[in-house]
Amino acid sequence: MLDSPSSKETAMTDYPFDPELQPWLAMLPEIDLADIVASRDQADELISHLPPVEVPDGIGIREVSIPGRDGAPDIKARIYAPTEASDSLRPGYVQIHGGGFVLGDLDTFEQAPVDVAATCGAVVVAPDYRLAPEHPFPAGLEDCYAALEWLAANADELGVDRDRIAVGGESAGGGLAAAVALLARDRQGPALCFQLLDIPELDDRLDTESMTTFVDTPLWNRPAAVLSWKYYLSGDPEKLGLQYAAPARAEDLAGLPPAFVSTCEFDPLRDEGLIYAQRLLAAGVSTELHHYPGTFHGSSMVRGAAVTRRMEADKLAALRRALG
């Protein structure tokens, strides 16, 4: 969780946030994406207040270099996996970090891939994908897809069961995970058994009720989302297809892997996640949907709150079921 707020004034807000989250609001920075350099510094400062990553005994971490697709630069990635020898193949999982397509790296919320490796006994590959605006869509997405291809191609060496490979992520990482699932289907690439879309960023049209309403919510709000999409789509989005940048635009969701979708009540991304989950269900995709009252985008950083513990438990339980 964040450092203690005892020495700081508790924030006042008009939003009825969960009472356990309220005391931490004053500590949260206002990340202004209008200045990318400053916003990245602000994000780093926020992460510096989080506790060190807790790596349980028996989980190893190593860095690898994954070849980029179609002549793109190599991608730095980390592999998280149990160190104990196993007589059976392990599931594989591609973990994609968040950050609005413009922030974040392998050190951002690294606890997530560690927890998946430990809880699910999985081999987790986390790519350090290229960020906008320096590298607009589809650069970051192609890096994430390259990580999936690399995991499948090296399954034998990694001890991974090709029938139990999944993809997931949080926020922009959830949107990228949804896009990777679409690409894997449409390119007839590696088969996916599951997609975990945690508070996903999916829709560049910015026209849902939650997106137009939440203009001043903590950590993420409409002004941030507007700039996030502006930077991400600043290249040539039609070169690959806008539906892969913003999966909410995909007309056909049939044939995608089963999904877990989560949303937060006071999050501008709330409605696009809810709508995408409903569309997956309508397309015949088995989908588990969780909505968490009193929460905001990124509130899971307050790890000690009961609602955060529920959120983490729900995600990991869904992954355990999906990965076997």
Side-chain angles (χ1 to χ4, degrees), residues 12-27:
M12 299 299 292
T13 176
D14 293 331
Y15 296 105
F17 294 125
D18 183 288
E20 288 190 277
L21 303 178
Q22 289 272 7
W24 307 95
L25 297 175
M27 296 187 61

Side-chain angles (χ1 to χ4, degrees), residues 291-321:
H291 175 69
Y292 298 96
T295 57
F296 55 88
H297 194 87
S299 63
S300 59
M301 286 188 295
V302 185
R303 296 182 65 87
V307 65
T308 297
R309 295 196 298 270
R310 290 201 308 275
M311 294 170 76
E312 296 304 310
D314 289 342
K315 285 188 293 186
L316 292 172
L319 276 174
R320 282 198 303 267
R321 290 190 296 271

Side-chain angles (χ1 to χ4, degrees), residues 198-269:
D198 186 16
I199 55 173
E201 186 172 3
L202 299 162
D203 196 345
D204 68 303
R205 292 168 292 193
L206 306 169
D207 59 2
T208 66
E209 183 69 21
S210 61
M211 182 58 71
T212 57
T213 299
F214 297 139
V215 299
D216 58 353
T217 41
L219 289 181
W220 201 251
N221 44 50
R222 179 179 176 83
V226 168
L227 289 172
S228 170
W229 284 108
K230 176 184 176 181
Y231 296 142
Y232 190 47
L233 300 179
S234 61
D236 181 10
E238 295 297 344
K239 183 176 182 181
L240 178 60
L242 189 55
Q243 72 272 21
Y244 301 114
R249 288 182 176 267
E251 296 182 1
D252 180 13
L253 301 183
L256 290 171
F260 175 100
V261 182
S262 69
T263 60
C264 291
E265 183 174 7
F266 302 108
D267 182 353
L269 305 182

